[in-house]
Amino acid sequence: MTAVTIEQLSKDMQAAIQNLEESGLVPRSRDQPLNANDLLFYLTGTSMPMADFLHQHGLFLDNRGLNFDLTQFDAIKQTANKVIAERQAGYLDGTWKKFDLSTDEDIDTNGGYILTAIAALEILYGQPTG
């Protein structure tokens, strides 16, 4: 498990800004550089059950900063991809119901947001090793 402070996360993001933007992570504000809040937006814009799932897999924010476990990223990606696949199939009674995901205008981003955040963390801190 790794914990990185919000300040360090912002510094790391600035150092890798071009690669992060290529991964799909973009600043939420055009008048400010990419920073930790931009990445955190992708993780916090989901339901409480999904946030709990992420926490159980070592991806959460606390007083130490952003916590993550690279070895858990595959499990998180599998679930995010399942969310996307079920949405594309029009099936909202499985994973969507389990995680109480939104069916409003952000319906297409519930899984994609998580995948974008994971991709950014992998760029910043490496690929999972096991």
Side-chain angles (χ1 to χ4, degrees), residues 3 8-9 11 33 39 41 45 49 54 57 59 68 70 76 79 82 84 92 99-100 103 109 112 115 120 122 126 129:
Q8 187 61 50
L9 180 59
K11 288 178 187 176
L39 185 130
F41 170 78
L54 295 174
H57 286 81
L59 183 56
F68 56 92
L70 291 169
I76 294 170
T79 297
K82 187 174 182 179
I84 293 167
L92 303 181
F99 291 116
D100 190 30
T103 55
T109 59
L115 292 176
E122 287 177 338
T129 57

Side-chain angles (χ1 to χ4, degrees), residues 65-127:
L66 181 63
N67 297 267
F68 56 92
D69 181 350
L70 291 169
T71 65
Q72 292 293 310
F73 281 4
D74 281 342
I76 294 170
K77 285 192 250 183
Q78 286 175 9
T79 297
N81 282 316
K82 187 174 182 179
V83 165
I84 293 167
E86 286 183 8
R87 165 62 180 120
Q88 289 173 343
Y91 179 66
L92 303 181
D93 288 328
T95 306
W96 282 82
K97 193 173 205 173
K98 174 183 176 183
F99 291 116
D100 190 30
L101 296 172
S102 171
T103 55
D104 293 330
E105 67 275 355
D106 62 341
I107 193 165
D108 293 322
T109 59
N110 281 291
Y113 273 16
I114 292 168
L115 292 176
T116 299
I118 294 288
L121 290 170
E122 287 177 338
I123 288 168
L124 293 170
Y125 303 108
Q127 300 288 319

